[in-house]
Amino acid sequence: MDRELALEFVRVTEAAAIASGRWMGKGEKNLADQAAVDAMRTAFDSVNINGKVVIGEGEMDEAPMLYIGEAVGGGGLDVDIAVDPLEGTNLIAKGLPGAIAVLAIASRGGLLHAPDMYMDKIVVGPKAAGKVNINASVTENLKAVATALERQVEDLTVVILDRDRHEGIIAEARKAGARIKLITDGDVSPAINVCIEGTGVHMMIGIGGAPEGVIAAAAVKCLGGDMQGILRPENEQEIARAKSMGIADIHKVLTIDDLVKGDDAFFAATAITQGDLLNGVRYFGGGARTHSIVMRYKTGTVRFVDAIHKFERKSMAIKRT
């Protein structure tokens, strides 16, 4: 893929963020999500790719846009696309930090076709890559990360979704001495933060969405970090769904290279609300300012894009339906 496409991908996430950000704190998560979907889908039309959505808003009969299997782009290279136009619908509805518009792109066949189910995940940064094992205990993994970072376990901060299902790993992490940052929603942003020094977090563990796991894996791979995942289906229907999408061994430990294959992958994200790494959308008379990150695995390039957008206020007006 042409590296010049990187900025085109950023324009796609910027469009989704600007449209969705208007709904921050208004308690309308569905309308915020729809605004992001509409804007992202329209923005894809101007990108010179022959894209196929492999992770999106759902099946064709569930989502009118960005559904799994939909063709997007203005023509060009054959690529697979994973999108989450608004990761953190509850966050934006409540005006909380961490909502982002995000996408991952790889050569055709490069992204795992993850079914909509849970995935157990562990993410670490570059210095701890290859040092953890998702089947090991929380304590063992914390010790491995601490050794890799030349720290004590007490110096580490672990990100975990605040869910009842995580009571055990939260208790074990606390007993081991690690600090914990509990999050309410959205585990793509924390996965990125783990891989960037200075954000103050060193590992992410726990069960979250499998589609989000693939998107996060693209960022983790581009940043030189490490991630492992195991699908956690809850019933026979989910097992059948996974197998129909080409996952023969439902219990397999999925490595970073299983989740994102090959050496040509892009990741782009634009903050909608304020985050630890990126500033949220800020509006002013006749325009907005966005803060994004875009990265490419093949070159190892990571760019932060601080952009000013000018537009007519009429074109950005919110219409209630």
Side-chain angles (χ1 to χ4, degrees):
M1 283 185 281
D2 192 329
R3 61 186 176 185
E4 293 180 1
L5 285 171
L7 290 180
E8 296 301 317
F9 298 149
V10 171
R11 290 187 179 99
V12 173
T13 57
E14 286 173 343
I18 291 170
S20 184
R22 291 291 193 186
W23 295 97
M24 188 186 81
K26 297 184 177 182
E28 298 280 6
K29 67 178 184 180
N30 291 333
L31 291 176
D33 185 56
Q34 189 60 57
V37 171
D38 292 347
M40 180 174 278
R41 179 63 185 83
T42 299
F44 265 124
D45 288 341
S46 63
V47 182
N48 293 324
I49 56 172
N50 177 26
K52 178 182 178 182
V53 176
V54 298
I55 291 174
E57 292 296 288
E59 299 293 341
M60 185 184 300
D61 57 352
E62 299 171 350
M65 292 183 184
L66 297 177
Y67 55 82
I68 296 172
E70 184 178 11
V72 299
L77 294 172
D78 293 334
V79 296
D80 280 354
I81 299 174
V83 299
D84 196 342
L86 170 51
E87 201 224 5
T89 54
N90 289 322
L91 298 177
I92 194 169
K94 297 176 182 179
L96 296 175
I100 60 173
V102 61
L103 62 81
I105 294 182
S107 300
R108 187 60 53 86
L111 298 176
L112 181 75
H113 295 201
D116 188 7
M117 64 176 62
Y118 283 131
M119 176 188 283
D120 201 355
K121 311 168 191 176
I122 183 168
V123 179
V124 294
K127 290 183 178 179
K131 307 296 184 183
V132 296
N133 183 342
I134 196 170
N135 285 320
S137 69
V138 174
T139 302
E140 289 173 313
N141 282 319
L142 284 169
K143 289 179 178 178
V145 173
T147 299
L149 298 180
E150 298 182 344
R151 305 182 184 208
Q152 301 298 315
V153 170
E154 290 78 6
D155 301 325
L156 303 181
T157 299
V158 185
V159 179
I160 306 173
L161 273 169
D162 189 6
R163 300 288 188 271
D164 291 343
R165 61 179 179 268
H166 291 152
E167 287 181 358
I169 62 175
I170 291 171
E172 185 175 350
R174 286 172 173 164
K175 185 177 180 180
R179 303 198 310 163
I180 296 174
K181 182 176 182 179
L182 295 176
I183 57 174
T184 59
D185 295 277
D187 59 4
V188 175
S189 288
I192 300 169
N193 294 343
V194 165
C195 298
I196 296 179
E197 289 191 30
T199 57
V201 292
H202 310 99
M203 184 168 79
M204 187 183 83
I205 53 174
I207 297 173
E212 291 82 359
V214 175
I215 296 173
V220 173
K221 184 166 183 173
C222 289
L223 291 167
D226 196 11
M227 177 175 176
Q228 295 175 12
I230 301 176
L231 293 175
R232 299 298 187 195
E234 297 187 298
N235 51 53
E236 291 299 322
Q237 289 78 15
E238 290 190 349
I239 293 175
R241 173 68 175 147
K243 291 183 176 179
S244 71
M245 296 178 74
I247 302 172
D249 183 0
I250 200 73
H251 303 295
K252 179 182 177 180
V253 174
L254 299 166
T255 67
I256 191 79
D257 291 320
D258 291 321
L259 297 166
V260 182
K261 303 177 181 67
D263 66 351
D264 208 358
F266 284 86
F267 174 90
T270 300
I272 302 174
T273 60
Q274 189 68 23
D276 292 334
L277 186 64
L278 300 172
N279 296 317
V281 180
R282 287 156 287 175
Y283 299 93
F284 54 85
R289 185 173 183 176
T290 58
H291 198 201
S292 308
I293 187 172
V294 59
M295 55 191 91
R296 187 187 188 192
Y297 175 68
K298 190 172 185 178
T299 60
T301 305
V302 179
R303 289 185 173 90
F304 288 89
V305 182
D306 191 349
I308 301 293
H309 309 264
K310 298 288 185 69
F311 47 76
E312 294 181 9
R313 182 166 297 277
K314 182 179 179 181
S315 67
M316 298 299 294
I318 297 171
K319 296 180 179 180
R320 288 184 176 271
T321 58

